[in-house]
Amino acid sequence: MRQLLDKIEARQRLVRETAERLREQIAELTGQLAAAERTLERLETTCETVLELATEDGTPPPEPLPSGYREILALFERNGDGLRARDVCRTLGTGTEPRHTDGRAKLKRLVNRSILTEPEPGLFTLTPLPPTTPETDSN
């Protein structure tokens, strides 16, 4: 009978240690979640402020891009030299065969919105921002 009680005590110690480690992980994750939520709140406030300022200047607010388009733009922001359509499609997992047209169609739509340029067939780059001058900086 003593052996059985010793096993139970050993199991209790193990479970207590596991519970303590889990509490520590929960506390750490709770802190990380709170930080992420604060960052998200700041970004949302920044976005709202930018849209308000654009409206005050009479500039129509930009239409928000769906997430698939934001993913494409993030690829271009990381690679300033431009990307081939097949590389974008491969990265997004949309397929690189001619029958897989979704990725290419999104790239073409971004070209039509003047967000991307296509300097040669199949090669896409971010549209360069106009140079700033003292006149445009003071507005």
Side-chain angles (χ1 to χ4, degrees), residues 25 48 118 137:
Q25 289 176 347
E48 289 171 6
E118 190 176 11
D137 287 343

mmCIF file with all atom_site columns, all heavy atoms in Angstrom, residues 25 48 118 137:
data_model
loop_
_atom_site.group_PDB
_atom_site.id
_atom_site.type_symbol
_atom_site.label_atom_id
_atom_site.label_alt_id
_atom_site.label_comp_id
_atom_site.label_asym_id
_atom_site.label_entity_id
_atom_site.label_seq_id
_atom_site.pdbx_PDB_ins_code
_atom_site.Cartn_x
_atom_site.Cartn_y
_atom_site.Cartn_z
_atom_site.occupancy
_atom_site.B_iso_or_equiv
_atom_site.pdbx_formal_charge
_atom_site.auth_seq_id
_atom_site.auth_comp_id
_atom_site.auth_asym_id
_atom_site.auth_atom_id
_atom_site.pdbx_PDB_model_num
ATOM 1  N N   . GLN A 1 25  ? 3.683   30.172 -18.448 1.00 0.00 ? 25  GLN A N   1
ATOM 2  C CA  . GLN A 1 25  ? 3.497   30.366 -19.895 1.00 0.00 ? 25  GLN A CA  1
ATOM 3  C C   . GLN A 1 25  ? 2.276   31.233 -20.168 1.00 0.00 ? 25  GLN A C   1
ATOM 4  O O   . GLN A 1 25  ? 2.304   32.104 -21.032 1.00 0.00 ? 25  GLN A O   1
ATOM 5  C CB  . GLN A 1 25  ? 3.356   29.014 -20.603 1.00 0.00 ? 25  GLN A CB  1
ATOM 6  C CG  . GLN A 1 25  ? 4.632   28.220 -20.666 1.00 0.00 ? 25  GLN A CG  1
ATOM 7  C CD  . GLN A 1 25  ? 4.420   26.850 -21.298 1.00 0.00 ? 25  GLN A CD  1
ATOM 8  O OE1 . GLN A 1 25  ? 3.295   26.395 -21.478 1.00 0.00 ? 25  GLN A OE1 1
ATOM 9  N NE2 . GLN A 1 25  ? 5.513   26.189 -21.625 1.00 0.00 ? 25  GLN A NE2 1
ATOM 10 N N   . GLU A 1 48  ? -7.198  55.707 -38.766 1.00 0.00 ? 48  GLU A N   1
ATOM 11 C CA  . GLU A 1 48  ? -8.340  56.613 -38.688 1.00 0.00 ? 48  GLU A CA  1
ATOM 12 C C   . GLU A 1 48  ? -7.894  58.066 -38.832 1.00 0.00 ? 48  GLU A C   1
ATOM 13 O O   . GLU A 1 48  ? -8.542  58.855 -39.522 1.00 0.00 ? 48  GLU A O   1
ATOM 14 C CB  . GLU A 1 48  ? -9.061  56.421 -37.348 1.00 0.00 ? 48  GLU A CB  1
ATOM 15 C CG  . GLU A 1 48  ? -9.808  55.117 -37.238 1.00 0.00 ? 48  GLU A CG  1
ATOM 16 C CD  . GLU A 1 48  ? -10.327 54.858 -35.825 1.00 0.00 ? 48  GLU A CD  1
ATOM 17 O OE1 . GLU A 1 48  ? -10.209 55.748 -34.949 1.00 0.00 ? 48  GLU A OE1 1
ATOM 18 O OE2 . GLU A 1 48  ? -10.851 53.758 -35.611 1.00 0.00 ? 48  GLU A OE2 1
ATOM 19 N N   . GLU A 1 118 ? 4.312   47.565 -64.542 1.00 0.00 ? 118 GLU A N   1
ATOM 20 C CA  . GLU A 1 118 ? 4.809   46.380 -65.242 1.00 0.00 ? 118 GLU A CA  1
ATOM 21 C C   . GLU A 1 118 ? 5.782   46.863 -66.317 1.00 0.00 ? 118 GLU A C   1
ATOM 22 O O   . GLU A 1 118 ? 5.399   47.056 -67.473 1.00 0.00 ? 118 GLU A O   1
ATOM 23 C CB  . GLU A 1 118 ? 3.653   45.581 -65.845 1.00 0.00 ? 118 GLU A CB  1
ATOM 24 C CG  . GLU A 1 118 ? 4.074   44.234 -66.381 1.00 0.00 ? 118 GLU A CG  1
ATOM 25 C CD  . GLU A 1 118 ? 2.891   43.418 -66.889 1.00 0.00 ? 118 GLU A CD  1
ATOM 26 O OE1 . GLU A 1 118 ? 1.768   43.946 -67.020 1.00 0.00 ? 118 GLU A OE1 1
ATOM 27 O OE2 . GLU A 1 118 ? 3.104   42.220 -67.168 1.00 0.00 ? 118 GLU A OE2 1
ATOM 28 N N   . ASP A 1 137 ? 5.774   69.471 -49.604 1.00 0.00 ? 137 ASP A N   1
ATOM 29 C CA  . ASP A 1 137 ? 5.978   69.194 -48.189 1.00 0.00 ? 137 ASP A CA  1
ATOM 30 C C   . ASP A 1 137 ? 5.213   70.155 -47.293 1.00 0.00 ? 137 ASP A C   1
ATOM 31 O O   . ASP A 1 137 ? 4.847   69.830 -46.188 1.00 0.00 ? 137 ASP A O   1
ATOM 32 C CB  . ASP A 1 137 ? 7.476   69.279 -47.826 1.00 0.00 ? 137 ASP A CB  1
ATOM 33 C CG  . ASP A 1 137 ? 8.267   68.101 -48.356 1.00 0.00 ? 137 ASP A CG  1
ATOM 34 O OD1 . ASP A 1 137 ? 7.636   67.091 -48.711 1.00 0.00 ? 137 ASP A OD1 1
ATOM 35 O OD2 . ASP A 1 137 ? 9.509   68.192 -48.423 1.00 0.00 ? 137 ASP A OD2 1
#
